[in-house]
Amino acid sequence: MAFHWTAIPRFIPQLLAGAQLTLLITLAAMALGIAIGAAMAAGRVSRFRVLRLLAGLYVEFIRNTPALLQIFILFFGMPSLGLRMSAVTAGSIALGLNASAYLAEIFRAGLNGVPAGSREAAIALSFSRLHMLAYVTTPLAMRAAWPAFCNLVISILLASSLLSAISVYELTGITNDISTKTFLTFEVYSIAALFYVALNIAVSLLLALTGRLLFPPQSR
Amino acid sequence: MNFALVWEARWLIFDSFLVTLYLSACAIVGGTVVGMIVALLRQAGIRSLNLALRAYVELFRGTPLLMQLFFIYFGLPLVSIPVDRFWAAFIALTCFTSAYVAEVFRSGIEAIPRGQSEAATALGMGFFHRFFWIIAPQAMRVSLPPLIGVYVSVIKDTSLATVVGYNELTRRAMELMLRFGHPLEFFITVALLYFAICYPISKLSEALERKLTPTAR
Amino acid sequence: MIEVKGVSKSYGAHEVLRQVSLEVEPGQVVAIIGPSGSGKSTFLRMLNGLEGFNGGSIRIDGHDLSVPRELQQVRRQVGMVFQQFNLFPHLTVGRNVTIAQRLVLKESKAAAEKRARRLLDRVELSEKWGSYPSQLSGGQQQRVAIARALAMEPKVMLFDEATSALDPELVGEVLDVMRSLASEGMTMLVVTHEMGFARNVADRVLFMDGGRIVADGPPGRLLDNPEDERLIQFLRRIGNHERSDPTPVSGAQPA
Ligand SMILES: Nc1ncnc2c1ncn2[C@@H]1O[C@H](COP(=O)(O)OP(=O)(O)O)[C@@H](O)[C@H]1O
Ligand SMILES: [Mg+2]
């Protein structure tokens, strides 16, 4: 088999556009995921049984069904309820809902990870409930949740490739498209793999940096 | 909502449900075996080998499974390795899963105190004796909950075989939808089937995890 | 039995052992004392090949430790007991004592179990055969660890602060086992902070400091009339100077 690496450069702009869309989808999904995930985490530790049950059902259902199916349900299924969305929108929302279930668990684990001692110390210092939440519980929970949060961002980034199955031209979609049109299968996929690895590294570095800023090691 | 249609198609759905179970089982076995071998080889401490194995793990963990699947399905025939839909899905899932399994085992192995290996060495045990009798059994216990978690992902990820046209559960739902309409009914039905397998396994993993860490508040 | 000649060891630029030489006769019991970080553990671990060494030579019972093939031979003849016991937590007490006999010495199951029962009997733990290490006290675990090492029928036993991780009231039971081993003529190298043991059981005491053997002699002379300034200071620090009774000094100084 002969390789045609020289043919690759002219596809780079397309691949870059795909990578950009991949990042955008990831960002949108994470934003939606954080909002709903926080609400679900709150629901799961709520005082009301019904809320706990509903939030639990939501989280467990999403975590135990394939993301691809969730995307199909939103893209193919919602129109039959009169809700028509573009593939990117439907896909991003599905991914966001998917992320929210995992985030709910991450947030909850973070809350559980706050040492009882810190809470007791705050009570002993007669912090108000609000002050305790603002100055003790939330910062400590966020710190505890941060590593898992970073891992989730990366897995959502990778999962955004599923949108290619509903013809969204993000990085994987573009790659498939170029591959089927040119038969440069090996070359195009190799380059796309590099793109993904580069995206991972870039996002991981950014998150590590953010982590440093948010949670300086000396305050540990 | 028209679930009568779903009921009529129940045998078609059940049939592909079995296909999903079959592919899952194959990928779980394949991924575990390959992943264990990778983890074992990483313990040998040979530098160039370690580098290669790390590259393998990072590559399969760092790129989307969907792309790996396309690459194998369309790429291998170009180098005269014929792969049908099952084999493409099986190979992709095995490689992908093995990368995660290898990492699970590696962190399990690293969780074993150094003294264990040293005590075994001091008793005259060689590399294989140490690994199989002392390190692996202990690492296995630590690794079991996350390992089962990986297996749940594998079952869900078999749905990606849809894109190369392999007739598993998600693909069947898609076909039925294209033929009869009513997407929500079909998709929700198969979603419930996935849930029915994955949920108990997830719970098992959590229960094992709790059993291993009795200090949970 | 043990012949160490001009051995050195460094981690990067950090020299941990400098030109250490030592000869130990069969049946001798040698206590090694010295401040934390002086290289005692490193030295002991070198003697059964857990650490490599940079220069010099080590021979144990005629086997050259720098020859990889002899290394396995040496490990069979040198038993080691660790500060943290390092019992195998997934195996019962019985299996802990038989596993190396089965795998390394290729003993039959019956022979291995017979020997294991005899040794567990000797450390007074025969009733713990089916227990797991986590069900034993620290002192019991360390006695099992000693039985496990003895099961290989070693000619030399190395003890690296075998009692340092124990609660004070459990130290005695382990020292008793070590004392009886010594009286039976086992060659022993014992890194310890138990001055009572060094004084009453050892034939010879080594004082290590800064990666060297600074003082070497019979316990009476070394501990009661120390000449080396660093040794005098060390003994003063651990409170030996006014103590002549054999009560163990159990300072908790992790290596
Ligand atoms: N693996 C290692 N890497 C680097 N330095 C080490 C290592 N092991 C031990 N050392 C250093 O070697 C010195 C001697 O250690 P050790 O033999 O454990 O002393 P001791 O047992 O007398 O307390 C110490 O300064 C320690 O920091
Ligand atoms: Mg030490």
Side-chain angles (χ1 to χ4, degrees), chain A residues 60 63-64 76 102 164 176 200, chain B residues 62 66 70 156 183 202-203:
Chain A
E60 295 294 1
R63 296 200 323 149
N64 289 293
F76 295 114
Y102 291 91
S164 68
N176 292 339
N200 278 347
Chain B
L66 196 63
F70 279 128
K156 293 187 291 174
S202 298
K203 284 290 142 193

Side-chain angles (χ1 to χ4, degrees), chain C residues 153-164:
Chain C
E153 311 213 298
K155 294 185 174 154
V156 178
M157 284 285 284
L158 309 175
F159 294 82
D160 190 0
E161 300 199 30
T163 56
S164 294

Side-chain angles (χ1 to χ4, degrees), chain B residues 185-200:
Chain B
E185 288 88 333
F186 286 117
F187 284 134
I188 286 177
T189 304
V190 302
L192 287 173
L193 286 175
Y194 280 108
F195 184 81
I197 341 170
C198 293
Y199 180 72

Side-chain angles (χ1 to χ4, degrees), chain C residues 37 40-42 83 160-161 191 254-255:
Chain C
K40 305 180 298 293
S41 296
T42 307
Q83 183 176 350
D160 190 0
E161 300 199 30
V191 171

Side-chain angles (χ1 to χ4, degrees), chain A residues 60-61 63-66 68-69 72-73 76-77 81 102 112 158 161-162 164 176 185-186 189 193 196 200, chain B residues 61-62 64 66-67 70-71 78-79 156 159-160 174 183-184 187 190-191 194-195 198-199 202-203 206 217:
Chain A
E60 295 294 1
F61 185 76
R63 296 200 323 149
N64 289 293
T65 52
L68 185 64
L69 204 50
F72 285 171
I73 289 177
F76 295 114
L81 297 181
Y102 291 91
N112 286 339
L158 293 177
S161 73
L162 296 180
S164 68
N176 292 339
T185 308
F186 185 83
Y189 280 111
Y196 270 110
N200 278 347
Chain B
R61 273 165 37 111
L66 196 63
M67 235 182 61
F70 279 128
F71 179 70
L78 296 183
V79 289
K156 293 187 291 174
S159 65
L160 300 206
M174 178 78 96
L184 268 182
F187 284 134
V190 302
Y194 280 108
F195 184 81
C198 293
Y199 180 72
S202 298
K203 284 290 142 193
E206 281 167 30
R217 264 171 288 255

